[in-house]
Amino acid sequence: MARRWEYFGKLDIRKYFDSIDHEILLSALQPRFREASVRSLLETIIRFPLPGQQPGKGLPIGNLTSQWFANTYLDACDHHALETLRVGGYLRYMDDVLIFDRSPQMLNEQVGSLATWLKDQRALAVKTERLLVGACRTGVPFLGWRVFPGFIRLQPERRKGSRGLLRRREREFRAGTISAEKLTESVQAIVAGVRAVRPGFRFDRWGFPGLES
């Protein structure tokens, strides 16, 4: 996308999982199933009360069903962006949305339209401080990376945060509060994500690629 289009627009949804409306989610899910038992099970799972959560709102982040429900909740947003707004390019990972075009003026309008749609149709608020329209040549921030037309960089804040986490895990291991297996899992989780995008890079002792901070 960053190679094909000159400009991008970015939207982040505020407290996405906590803000998902049960009634709206059920209205999107239940027409997909004819079996009464399946529809009843879906309602039981979705309406299960969460400690400290507003009634009728929110999904538990750790549940596998929540990932599927959360994607389904924004399925209509994908169609609205592609079929109604007819954005040039579109990419969404859960609640992080990117759109692309050759006109920054058009992107400003489309970002505003999407924010309005999310509020009116899904009762969601976007992070206004993170609404962004920019040139792809300056890098597209997405999921802890900055994607340029010809290469990808790990964003400094993600690099710093992950290194800090691994340092804490090292201290916990030395103190005997976590096992060697837990320490290995923490390192491998970070390294796997980096290698998936940047295979063949030189890595430091924590498994981070040797690129600019």
Side-chain angles (χ1 to χ4, degrees):
M1 289 289 188
R3 293 180 180 178
R4 181 178 178 186
W5 303 99
E6 295 177 37
Y7 297 94
F8 71 92
K10 189 175 190 296
L11 300 91
D12 289 339
I13 297 171
R14 191 178 302 280
K15 296 183 179 179
Y16 179 49
F17 278 84
D18 289 344
S19 302
I20 290 176
D21 185 278
H22 295 172
E23 295 296 336
I24 296 174
L25 176 58
L26 286 167
S27 70
L29 276 173
Q30 289 193 332
R32 303 178 182 218
F33 302 94
R34 288 184 292 181
E35 299 84 356
S37 59
V38 174
R39 296 167 76 171
S40 176
L41 177 61
L42 288 172
E43 185 164 2
T44 299
I45 294 172
I46 291 168
R47 293 192 188 281
F48 189 83
L50 302 177
Q53 183 62 51
Q54 180 182 351
K57 296 272 191 178
L59 295 174
I61 294 177
N63 285 10
L64 292 178
T65 53
S66 296
Q67 311 301 313
W68 186 65
F69 293 157
N71 264 325
T72 303
Y73 197 73
L74 289 181
D75 179 64
C77 175
D78 303 340
H79 287 278
H80 178 70
L82 292 167
E83 298 165 10
T84 303
L85 297 180
R86 302 184 69 83
V87 298
Y90 182 80
L91 178 64
R92 177 174 68 84
Y93 181 83
M94 201 58 69
D95 58 325
D96 291 327
V97 180
L98 287 174
I99 59 177
F100 296 84
D101 205 278
R102 293 187 175 86
S103 166
Q105 293 78 18
M106 178 66 74
L107 281 171
N108 272 305
E109 294 176 9
Q110 291 173 336
V111 164
S113 295
L114 271 179
T116 299
W117 188 94
L118 289 166
K119 178 182 177 183
D120 294 344
Q121 301 299 320
R122 289 296 182 265
L124 297 171
V126 300
K127 299 176 183 178
T128 54
E129 70 278 9
R130 291 200 175 182
L131 284 176
L132 178 62
V133 172
C136 291
R137 67 176 183 275
T138 65
V140 182
F142 193 59
L143 304 179
W145 299 88
R146 184 166 288 272
V147 183
F148 294 83
F151 60 96
I152 300 173
R153 288 179 181 169
L154 193 66
Q155 295 224 79
E157 56 268 26
R158 176 176 172 179
R159 182 176 178 134
K160 180 179 178 181
S162 297
R163 275 182 163 166
L165 173 60
L166 292 178
R167 288 190 181 104
R168 288 198 300 275
R169 291 288 183 264
E170 285 184 330
R171 289 195 297 269
E172 290 168 355
F173 172 69
R174 293 190 184 108
T177 57
I178 65 170
S179 65
E181 290 77 12
K182 180 66 175 178
L183 175 63
T184 301
E185 288 175 5
S186 296
V187 174
Q188 289 179 339
I190 299 297
V191 172
V194 172
R195 287 190 188 277
V197 180
R198 303 305 299 270
F201 255 49
R202 177 177 57 83
F203 290 82
D204 66 18
R205 73 185 183 91
W206 286 293
F208 289 91
L211 47 83
E212 300 92 335
S213 298

